[in-house]
Amino acid sequence: MTLKVWERDQGNWAVLQVSGEMDLVTSPAVRQRVHDAVAEGRRSLVLDLGEVRFCDSSGVGVLIAARRLMRSCQGRLRLILPAQGAVEGSHVNRVLAALGVRRLFEVYPDLASATAETDSLSA
């Protein structure tokens, strides 16, 4: 399976919807799209990973690098990791949890909650 990335705007947020597999070969495309969004001046970014069916350590590395990049430019990064199929949940969610890095990310179940503007400063 290949990787596809679509971009759209949702209010003040740039949304990158990712589907397929994030591995050593395909994950650089996600990294490039994040860098492109930042280069265009976007500072609020949502990565919709609900359709990612496989993610290896290179995919996780891209997510951590995206977090670092957004923090370095005082930006915001949110991930959509829906609990599809209550038994197995999102593959990316399970991988991040297994590696102990899920807590590094703001995680939301859907686009509406990920792009909602809140008055709180919680991360």
Side-chain angles (χ1 to χ4, degrees):
M1 181 179 263
T2 60
L3 181 87
K4 295 179 184 175
V5 183
W6 299 268
E7 184 173 352
R8 67 177 185 263
D9 290 335
Q10 181 78 22
N12 294 325
W13 294 87
V15 179
L16 296 179
Q17 183 174 347
V18 184
S19 69
E21 299 180 355
M22 286 180 60
D23 58 24
L24 182 63
V25 174
T26 61
S27 58
V30 176
R31 180 187 313 259
Q32 186 60 53
R33 295 297 289 268
V34 169
H35 282 267
D36 291 347
V38 170
E40 292 168 3
R42 304 308 300 261
R43 296 298 180 264
S44 298
L45 182 64
V46 172
L47 292 177
D48 183 345
L49 305 173
E51 296 297 319
V52 173
R53 299 295 171 226
F54 175 80
C55 181
D56 68 7
S57 60
S58 22
V60 172
V62 165
L63 297 178
I64 291 171
R67 178 184 180 270
R68 188 178 313 120
L69 175 63
M70 295 308 292
R71 289 174 64 95
S72 73
C73 65
Q74 286 75 48
R76 302 181 290 176
L77 175 67
R78 295 179 176 175
L79 305 183
I80 297 175
L81 298 173
Q84 293 175 326
V87 175
E88 71 273 0
S90 162
H91 175 76
V92 179
N93 201 15
R94 289 192 320 258
V95 170
L96 294 176
L99 294 174
V101 296
R102 186 184 182 280
R103 62 182 168 68
L104 298 176
F105 298 97
E106 289 186 59
V107 177
Y108 296 84
D110 55 44
L111 184 61
S113 60
T115 57
E117 297 295 336
T118 61
D119 292 332
S120 70
L121 297 175
S122 62

